Amino acid sequence: MKGGIKAWNGLTATGPPDMGMSLLSGNESALQIIGIAYGMEQGLGRVYERMTEMTPNPEAAETFKRLAGYEEKHKARLFSLYQSLEPEGDEQTLIKSVKKHPVIEGGFAPEAFLEEHGEEIETVPDILNMAMMLEAQAMDLYHRYSQTIKSRDAKSILYDIAEEEKGHLKRLGRLMDAQP
């Protein structure tokens, strides 16, 4: 795999330290933060769906589907949080409020990520390495967002999302450990 994408066995991910930070000014409300996070989750889910279509390997396709399902669960969690702050809001209202984000979780532009890495991710271990890298960078990005945001509610939401990303990493680690 090229470009430093591997994130397992001590290898590091690539990207500048401020990658993905341009989405925030620091003045976002809790609802705006939920919208940004929802958009990044939605974008990564679409990347996984596209990779499902791109791979000829049925086992790899199934792994991508599973990862897309993780993103759906995270979106559901964000929607529930949105409803707790906006009781009259429905999912269509949230989706409409989500602007097309230039990045997915981890701070990557989706098309550039697919172009650079889409064809080289062929096996389940490759997929899990890529997913771990994205989730680790997403966790880091949400932690960095929590340090720049002024609203206490938004800061708390970002911290919680980062903790959920940590849970995703643990699940991915278990999947990696189960590989033959």
Side-chain angles (χ1 to χ4, degrees), residues 83-154:
Q83 280 196 308
S84 73
L85 298 173
E86 192 71 31
E88 299 300 316
D90 60 18
E91 194 160 13
Q92 288 303 317
T93 304
L94 175 59
I95 290 169
K96 286 178 187 174
S97 75
V98 174
K99 296 178 183 166
K100 185 173 180 170
H101 293 289
V103 299
I104 58 175
E105 282 189 315
F108 293 97
E111 291 306 316
F113 182 83
L114 282 168
E115 186 176 310
E116 185 172 344
H117 302 292
E119 292 182 13
E120 68 188 34
I121 301 169
E122 299 173 354
T123 67
V124 172
D126 289 344
I127 294 166
L128 294 174
N129 278 323
M130 180 239 7
M132 291 182 83
M133 182 270 303
L134 288 171
E135 297 294 340
Q137 287 189 311
M139 182 180 68
D140 178 64
L141 186 63
Y142 287 127
H143 273 296
R144 287 185 290 138
Y145 281 171
S146 74
Q147 300 305 307
T148 62
I149 206 79
K150 294 176 183 146
S151 161
R152 285 184 189 198
D153 288 341

